[in-house]
Amino acid sequence: MKEFALKLEKLAEELLDLFCENLGLEKGYLKKAFYGAKGPTFGTKVSNYPPCPTPDKIKGLRAHTDAGGIILLFQDPQVGGLQLLKDGEWVDVPPLRHSIVINLGDQLEVITNGKYKSVEHRVIAQTDGARMSIASFYNPGSDAVIYPAPALVEKEEEEEKKGLYPKFVFEDYMKLYGVLKFQAKEPRFEAMKAREATAPIATA
């Protein structure tokens, strides 16, 4: 598992550099934005969803966006259940052997000034077969200061700048997320923006 995690962490960083290239940011910008004092945080979670005789009465996992940066997910190769919200409709993400589903979290939405959006998703309980998934999370360090990349903000029209994302310490966002995980992300951003207005955060 340690070897597996190290390779996925490296893959996450390679993906971040591809995102930088796509966004017109200097190589390494996103990785640096995640660093804080001790580097990014990385963890892997294994989830098991047993078969459910009454899936209409319970959710496998309620709808939410992920709080962190980039998520690499190995789905069960046979049993489905993962859905994402696209254009107001829930879309199935079918199981596909030997593939990794890449999901983006709230921090990438903030840093990219909304160019990339965190994806609302859920897991639906299934009647047949147990579903196992392995999710690895590449997140900012707890003390990392998160804010929109200036190079992306400068490209916005003046009237659009009013909707800028907030600046905050990742640990503070996680405390709020722990309470509001299964609610819309926008109020979380607004709450952090209000906090920033009363206690501005310096950028190191």
Side-chain angles (χ1 to χ4, degrees):
M1 285 300 290
K2 286 182 179 179
E3 183 181 354
F4 168 83
L6 284 171
K7 289 184 176 180
L8 281 186
E9 185 172 3
K10 183 179 179 182
L11 174 60
E13 292 179 342
E14 289 174 355
L15 287 168
L16 287 177
D17 277 341
L18 287 174
F19 294 164
C20 286
E21 182 179 347
N22 182 49
L23 292 162
L25 296 172
E26 63 178 285
K27 184 176 180 180
Y29 180 90
L30 290 173
K31 182 179 176 181
K32 184 179 178 182
F34 277 37
Y35 245 65
K38 299 179 181 178
T41 56
F42 186 86
T44 295
K45 179 176 73 174
V46 180
S47 299
N48 180 60
Y49 301 86
C52 176
T54 54
D56 56 318
K57 295 182 179 179
I58 192 169
K59 295 284 191 299
L61 183 62
R62 287 182 289 165
H64 65 288
T65 61
D66 290 321
I70 185 168
I71 301 89
L72 301 96
L73 174 69
F74 275 97
Q75 290 199 85
D76 190 287
Q78 296 178 319
V79 181
L82 177 63
Q83 295 183 329
L84 59 84
L85 191 65
K86 180 175 174 58
D87 300 326
E89 306 233 346
W90 288 104
V91 179
D92 290 324
V93 181
L96 188 61
R97 187 180 294 274
H98 304 312
S99 66
I100 303 174
V101 175
I102 306 299
N103 190 18
L104 306 183
D106 294 346
Q107 307 312 303
L108 274 178
E109 179 167 340
V110 172
I111 296 171
T112 66
N113 198 34
K115 298 291 187 298
Y116 290 165
K117 302 287 188 183
S118 58
V119 181
E120 189 171 354
H121 56 285
R122 67 183 183 183
V123 177
I124 300 298
Q126 304 292 309
T127 55
D128 298 321
R131 177 183 183 271
M132 182 174 286
S133 67
I134 305 174
S136 296
F137 301 83
Y138 187 98
N139 291 341
S142 61
D143 64 338
V145 179
I146 304 300
Y147 56 93
L152 299 179
V153 175
E154 289 166 6
K155 295 177 182 178
E156 298 291 335
E157 297 294 334
E158 281 301 321
E159 60 268 18
E160 294 176 348
K161 288 187 180 181
K162 297 175 183 176
L164 285 181
Y165 288 87
K167 177 189 291 186
F168 52 82
V169 176
F170 180 60
E171 184 176 25
D172 292 338
Y173 186 85
M174 287 304 297
K175 289 176 182 176
L176 181 67
Y177 181 84
V179 179
L180 303 175
K181 176 176 180 176
F182 296 109
Q183 297 183 27
K185 61 188 171 183
E186 290 80 10
R188 296 196 295 264
F189 293 152
E190 290 301 320
M192 298 311 293
K193 193 181 294 186
R195 181 180 298 187
E196 178 192 2
T198 58
I201 300 169
T203 303

